[in-house]
Amino acid sequence: MRKIKNLHKWAAAALITSLLLTGCGGSGGGQALTSGEGDVQMTFPSGWIAGDGAELNVAGPKEDRAVMVTSVPKTDMADDIDLDGFMEVMKSSFSNQYPLFRMYEIQDVTLDSLSGKQAEYTGMLEKDLIHGILTVVDQGDHFYQILAVTPDQKFHSTKKELFQIIKTFKIVQAKPASKAQAPDSTDAQVTLTSSDETMELTLTGQWEQMNVEEVDIQATDLTSSSVLFVLGHDFSKDSSLQQYYQFIVDNRLNDIENPTISEPQQLTVNGLPALQFEVSGKMTTNGMKMAFLITLIDSPKQYVRIMFGTVQSNMDQLRDGFAEAVLTYKESDK
């Protein structure tokens, strides 16, 4: 189960900030599987298993290769972005997050009479080198992203099968104009901790934690296109929380073009003073229109920055859930 889970984390993370999988090669024939929203269909060999969710997320029978389809509304991107630009968005996202990332020659493709771009890539996922095929397609209102991934040592034996599966991509109906749904009380809760077990946060939803050295806690929720970062900062304790807020605004928002910043609101997180504010704008790295709920906490050991991010069109539905999760933050002296 480890490899399929980690490969799904790769796809989920690449999609947001910003985020998949030996057996014998075979024909693309077999079972036709449709996404949960009914907009996309692909054909997989017998034995491949579909996961839950609105998008297609299908794993091979030995769980060491996978194909995942996600989509991004063009309204969440820069107004002038085209297919070449979206491919660069994905390349930039992967390159920024994964060591030893390399994308090979980008080629023009046509899937279901739709124009697309396609390239192989490699990169490190934790301690494993993976090898994948990234395909992006322009549907009109959305860009579709198709990821086919396997461990690098097995790519040669599976690439024919993966390419054949990709060729079966088909739009069967227009994608519904849906919004992210806020988690409800029936959704599962997950508690995430830092590697040294001194920081803890409890979230509701389908969050997957990722191991990133520079971040104390990082997680993604593919179902809501959301990302979480928790970072401790040994900022001068002679300074005030307001001064730390000004430092963050002046020095840590450089990746957002002309950001809109709300007035910081005072609150208390488990007895600790905190400031919370919202930042939105177009990312300079990839053109995505993002929104972040940022909370700065003054703890006895350090200042803590908790950042929840999602595409701007989803923030209204997710803001309350993000704010509730912030209030679960705890520190220990381990």
Side-chain angles (χ1 to χ4, degrees), residues 278-295:
E278 205 165 304
V279 179
S280 60
K282 184 174 72 173
M283 304 300 295
T284 60
T285 53
N286 59 25
M288 291 286 290
K289 297 177 182 176
M290 298 286 292
F292 298 90
L293 182 70
I294 302 177
T295 307

Side-chain angles (χ1 to χ4, degrees), residues 87-321:
M87 189 64 163
E88 287 301 315
V89 166
M90 299 313 305
K91 180 179 179 180
S92 174
S93 296
F94 281 32
S95 179
N96 288 337
Q97 296 186 53
Y98 301 100
L100 304 180
F101 174 77
R102 180 182 178 186
M103 179 171 282
Y104 299 86
E105 182 181 0
I106 299 174
Q107 300 181 348
D108 294 326
V109 295
T110 301
L111 298 180
D112 194 28
S113 300
L114 300 174
S115 298
K117 301 285 182 179
Q118 188 175 78
E120 293 182 28
Y121 64 89
T122 54
M124 295 299 297
L125 178 61
E126 296 182 354
K127 297 180 180 180
D128 300 317
L129 180 66
I130 68 167
H131 198 138
I133 306 162
L134 170 63
T135 308
V136 297
V137 176
D138 188 345
Q139 176 265 341
D141 295 329
H142 293 75
F143 289 115
Y144 279 86
Q145 168 188 273
I146 308 166
L147 291 175
V149 187
T150 190
D152 181 66
Q153 68 269 26
K154 297 183 178 181
F155 184 78
H156 180 73
S157 62
T158 60
K159 65 182 293 185
K160 181 179 178 180
E161 179 183 61
L162 295 176
F163 275 113
Q164 288 174 330
I165 292 171
I166 293 168
K167 290 178 181 178
T168 69
F169 174 87
K170 181 188 299 184
I171 300 290
V172 293
Q173 68 176 24
K175 187 174 182 67
S178 58
K179 293 284 188 178
Q181 295 298 312
D184 59 38
S185 58
T186 64
D187 288 333
Q189 288 193 329
V190 57
T191 297
L192 308 179
T193 59
S194 58
S195 59
D196 62 3
E197 299 183 345
T198 62
M199 306 166 77
E200 175 184 305
L201 198 71
T202 300
L203 309 174
T204 300
Q206 299 182 36
W207 291 88
E208 291 280 359
Q209 187 164 359
M210 305 183 70
N211 296 322
V212 180
E213 292 184 0
E214 297 81 5
V215 182
D216 290 293
I217 300 175
Q218 179 174 335
T220 58
D221 184 347
L222 185 61
T223 61
S224 63
S225 297
S226 303
V227 64
L228 162 69
F229 302 94
V230 180
L231 305 96
H233 190 181
D234 293 328
F235 196 70
S236 172
K237 292 304 291 183
D238 293 331
S239 63
S240 66
L241 185 58
Q242 182 64 38
Q243 288 173 320
Y244 182 59
Y245 160 79
Q246 197 60 52
F247 169 82
I248 293 298
V249 169
D250 292 342
N251 298 278
R252 293 295 184 266
L253 303 179
N254 298 330
D255 289 340
I256 305 176
E257 183 179 320
N258 298 320
T260 299
I261 305 173
S262 69
E263 285 295 321
Q265 303 297 314
Q266 294 184 359
L267 69 157
T268 302
V269 177
N270 276 324
L272 301 175
L275 291 175
Q276 189 171 85
F277 58 102
E278 205 165 304
V279 179
S280 60
K282 184 174 72 173
M283 304 300 295
T284 60
T285 53
N286 59 25
M288 291 286 290
K289 297 177 182 176
M290 298 286 292
F292 298 90
L293 182 70
I294 302 177
T295 307
L296 307 178
I297 301 173
D298 186 355
S299 82
K301 298 189 300 181
Q302 61 190 342
Y303 285 107
V304 178
R305 177 165 35 127
I306 302 176
M307 298 176 55
F308 281 97
T310 188
V311 292
Q312 286 185 22
S313 59
N314 285 351
M315 182 55 87
D316 286 345
Q317 286 73 34
L318 301 174
R319 182 181 293 107
D320 290 346

